[in-house]
Amino acid sequence: MLKKSRWAAFTLLFAFVMIMSACGGNNNNNAGSSASADPSGSAEPSASASQSSSASASAPAEGAVDTSKEVKLKMIFVGPKPVDYDSVFAEINKKLKDKINATIEGEFLDWSDWAQKYPLKLAADENFDLIYSANWAGYNDQALKGGFLELTDDMLAKYAPQAWANMSKVSWDQAKVNGKLYMVPQNRGESVEKLILYREDLRKKYNLPEINSPEAYATYLKTIAEKEKGIVPFTPETGDWKFHNLDRVLLKQQNEWNMFDLDMPFAFKLTDEKGQVFNVYNTPEFKQLATYYKDLADHNAWSKNVLNSKNDHQADFKAGKTASITHNNGTLGSLMALMRQENSPYEVALADINQGKKKSVAISTQNGTSVHATSKNPERALMAIDLLQNDRELHDLIMYGVNGVHYEPVGDDKYKALDKNPNYTGFSNWSFNSPLNRDNEAFPQEASDLVKSWEAGVYHYPLETFVFDNSKVKTEIANVGNVMLRYGIPLEYGLVKDIDKGLADLNKQLESAGIAKIQAELQGQIDAFLAKN
């Protein structure tokens, strides 16, 4: 009731402002078009955004947003708090204060426990205004639970005019849940297919074959385990999902499947125009993969303590403690660039062990920013998002840090990382991705070449923008999730001695948990979606 009452009051106020604006001869469309005339971000984003703090203290122009009252916004990010957070955000806040009379305080949920803390932040109705959101961070589920504020066309046109004008309709539509919008998504496409980053110097040391297949990768891991004491062959990402990054390489990519939610065991073939879903655990492909994992576990390919590890896999790789990790191309390429910048003693390389397989690109909800449903300042929150995504100075600050300290701009679209660049990395500023993004001039050419080759043959499929409404099966999904943790994860890391029995136990427990009901609901929604599209 509190959420509804507060939002009802804001809606009435918003309606009154809109009426007064119309009477004054201004409208949202005009505000939006004039604000976004220069998509580069060099022009001021809106009448309200260009007000200085001194100007905003006076009465606003008729139809403009009243920013006379200073607002302190709080935003939840995922990832570790940057070492140089204070100095960078001090600069960000100077400019936000000048433009919209607002400042931002960031709170950071470390990778080691973000998955547990993130939903609790929303469930507890804590006092904050903005939060990083993404499909992989439960965006759809949290939107349906009421954690995020619905963003209407009118709100976006008035308070985020540049984002509203610059973002494609496809991107906005991809971010909708049951026809309603709950985030300002990123405005730049990216590949999120998983790759393997490994120690090329170790591959050469033992004269191992090129790592271009699952079999070659297994050979590499086993050799490292046998001959390099003190180095863990593979370290998974801490806080990874019930289906981990290697699954996305060896199960999803390898078989050209897609999975709706990595916390549910459902997939479909990319080429299946009917979108028939199936239980991954019931397939011969998963049994084969479980056998592959058990063989690796038996040969010490990862830590015996893998299920309880809190290690930062990227930090461990950088320090030479592990011989391979998995992540997307952009993340691994950036880590390679950093290691080369710091003159790392290790030679590293990328491995695509599913060459020739269909690759897809992320939809817009891969990264985004949502307004908390209980925010007291949703209009100023949207104005901040608009500037951080579309204003050149603010975008460079939030993405790369302080010019001359953390980076130097190179032309219009690249940057050079400086010595203190590592002091401002590793957290979810990606929600502000836009055409203003700069690419690291040191980004490995081999990583760029991979992206170009994938983008030349990106595979688009009918269910690319499908969103599952799980409101009718929430209990069953929770039960299934618990079963996956208890019975599925040990199979994922080869810790079950009898694979056949392990799979039988897993699927029996899934049946009791209500997997059939979820599958029926999911398939029904898919059929309805495909019938309309």
Side-chain angles (χ1 to χ4, degrees):
M1 289 300 292
L2 180 60
K3 289 183 188 178
K4 293 181 179 178
S5 298
R6 186 177 292 146
W7 179 236
F10 173 72
T11 304
L12 290 173
L13 176 60
F14 178 73
F16 177 74
V17 172
M18 292 293 291
I19 292 170
M20 294 302 293
S21 173
C23 292
N26 295 317
N27 57 56
N28 287 335
N29 291 333
N30 290 338
S33 58
S34 65
S36 57
D38 183 359
S40 70
S42 58
E44 292 300 320
S46 68
S48 61
S50 64
Q51 293 173 323
S52 68
S53 57
S54 59
S56 65
S58 61
E62 192 170 12
V65 180
D66 183 0
T67 59
S68 59
K69 179 183 177 182
E70 181 180 355
V71 166
K72 294 182 179 180
L73 302 170
K74 183 175 181 180
M75 180 166 179
I76 307 297
F77 294 94
V78 297
K81 184 177 181 178
V83 175
D84 287 352
Y85 164 83
D86 289 337
S87 60
V88 177
F89 270 71
E91 293 300 314
I92 289 172
N93 284 331
K94 285 180 187 177
K95 296 187 182 302
L96 284 176
K97 181 77 164 59
D98 183 60
K99 291 175 181 290
I100 60 172
N101 201 18
T103 55
I104 288 182
E105 174 193 355
E107 180 180 344
F108 296 82
L109 308 181
D110 198 85
W111 292 121
S112 62
D113 55 9
W114 79 269
Q116 293 76 39
K117 289 185 176 180
Y118 186 96
L120 294 177
K121 288 282 180 186
L122 292 160
D125 279 344
E126 290 191 15
N127 184 24
F128 60 89
D129 303 278
L130 295 162
I131 185 168
Y132 172 82
S133 54
N135 48 25
W136 54 267
Y139 166 66
N140 297 340
D141 189 41
Q142 293 299 335
L144 292 168
K145 287 180 177 177
F148 305 140
L149 185 68
E150 180 190 349
L151 306 178
T152 66
D153 293 358
D154 287 342
M155 290 170 64
L156 290 164
K158 186 173 183 67
Y159 299 115
Q162 289 189 103
W164 181 241
N166 296 342
M167 195 95 63
S168 70
K169 184 178 184 299
V170 171
S171 293
W172 288 120
D173 286 345
Q174 286 178 347
K176 289 181 177 177
V177 179
N178 286 348
K180 296 181 179 181
L181 186 70
Y182 299 93
M183 76 150 64
V184 177
Q186 66 177 6
N187 192 16
R188 185 181 182 181
E190 63 176 308
S191 170
V192 292
E193 296 284 5
K194 303 302 178 183
L195 287 164
I196 295 167
L197 181 63
Y198 70 95
R199 289 273 300 277
E200 173 71 354
D201 56 320
L202 293 179
R203 185 191 72 82
K204 290 178 178 178
K205 179 179 179 180
Y206 297 108
N207 196 29
L208 298 174
E210 178 185 355
I211 302 177
N212 57 9
S213 69
E215 293 75 23
Y217 183 47
T219 298
Y220 172 81
L221 294 176
K222 292 177 185 178
T223 302
I224 300 304
E226 178 186 355
K227 300 185 177 182
E228 289 288 334
K229 303 306 177 186
I231 298 179
V232 178
F234 171 75
T235 298
E237 181 180 1
T238 301
D240 210 349
W241 298 263
K242 298 178 182 75
F243 286 102
H244 52 64
N245 282 342
L246 268 184
D247 288 333
R248 282 171 255 187
V249 174
L250 296 166
L251 195 64
K252 181 174 172 286
Q253 281 182 24
Q254 179 74 14
N255 298 299
E256 297 185 339
W257 293 352
N258 195 31
M259 301 176 73
F260 301 99
D261 186 331
L262 296 169
D263 286 334
M264 296 192 304
F266 298 113
F268 65 93
K269 287 284 289 184
L270 288 176
T271 54
D272 181 6
E273 295 184 358
K274 294 184 178 179
Q276 296 296 309
V277 297
F278 50 84
N279 174 5
V280 170
Y281 294 134
N282 250 340
T283 63
E285 290 87 351
F286 183 80
K287 181 179 179 180
Q288 182 180 2
L289 183 59
T291 303
Y292 178 90
Y293 286 153
K294 186 175 188 309
D295 178 55
L296 290 178
D298 289 346
H299 285 85
N300 301 310
W302 41 73
S303 168
K304 297 292 186 184
N305 193 40
V306 65
L307 297 186
N308 300 310
S309 173
K310 296 293 184 181
N311 288 14
D312 182 330
H313 69 314
Q314 293 187 53
D316 279 3
F317 185 81
K318 185 168 172 283
K321 296 178 181 179
T322 186
S324 66
I325 60 174
T326 49
H327 218 292
N328 59 53
N329 185 70
T331 297
L332 297 182
S334 296
L335 180 57
M336 293 173 73
L338 177 61
M339 292 176 70
R340 290 170 181 175
Q341 175 192 344
E342 296 179 344
N343 297 314
S344 170
Y346 313 120
E347 182 183 359
V348 299
L350 291 169
D352 176 6
I353 62 175
N354 290 310
Q355 297 175 23
K357 297 291 184 177
K358 290 181 173 60
K359 302 292 195 299
S360 59
V361 293
I363 63 174
S364 64
T365 54
Q366 176 65 22
N367 298 292
T369 313
S370 294
V371 178
H372 192 201
T374 60
S375 170
K376 298 180 179 65
N377 299 286
E379 69 292 334
R380 213 77 64 93
L382 283 171
M383 293 167 75
I385 295 172
D386 199 43
L387 288 170
L388 292 168
Q389 191 175 74
N390 298 285
D391 178 272
R392 167 58 81 184
E393 286 187 319
L394 278 162
H395 185 76
D396 279 349
L397 275 167
I398 191 69
M399 300 301 286
Y400 314 111
V402 178
N403 186 351
V405 177
H406 302 99
Y407 81 102
E408 286 179 357
V410 178
D412 293 331
D413 59 359
K414 287 185 171 58
Y415 73 93
K416 176 183 179 181
L418 301 182
D419 290 344
K420 290 192 175 180
N421 178 265
N423 291 349
Y424 188 72
T425 58
F427 73 101
S428 59
N429 52 359
W430 328 298
S431 59
F432 304 113
N433 282 339
S434 79
L436 297 180
N437 277 25
R438 298 178 183 273
D439 295 322
N440 189 339
E441 66 171 2
F443 193 78
Q445 187 60 45
E446 56 266 45
S448 296
D449 290 344
L450 273 174
V451 170
K452 290 177 182 177
S453 67
W454 291 352
E455 288 179 346
V458 167
Y459 186 77
H460 294 285
Y461 49 94
L463 291 175
E464 199 166 34
T465 59
F466 170 78
V467 175
F468 177 43
D469 177 0
N470 64 11
S471 57
K472 295 181 180 178
V473 287
K474 284 186 177 295
T475 299
E476 288 78 12
I477 288 176
N479 292 339
V480 163
N482 290 333
V483 170
M484 292 171 70
L485 287 173
R486 182 176 177 184
Y487 295 89
I489 293 295
L491 283 164
E492 290 286 309
Y493 288 103
L495 303 178
V496 176
K497 292 182 179 180
D498 188 333
I499 293 175
D500 288 330
K501 183 178 185 303
L503 281 170
D505 290 344
L506 169 60
N507 282 304
K508 180 179 179 180
Q509 293 296 325
L510 287 172
E511 289 176 12
S512 299
I515 191 172
K517 183 177 178 180
I518 302 172
Q519 185 168 348
E521 178 66 23
L522 176 59
Q523 190 67 62
Q525 291 184 31
I526 288 172
D527 295 344
F529 176 87
L530 293 175
K532 292 179 181 178
N533 294 279

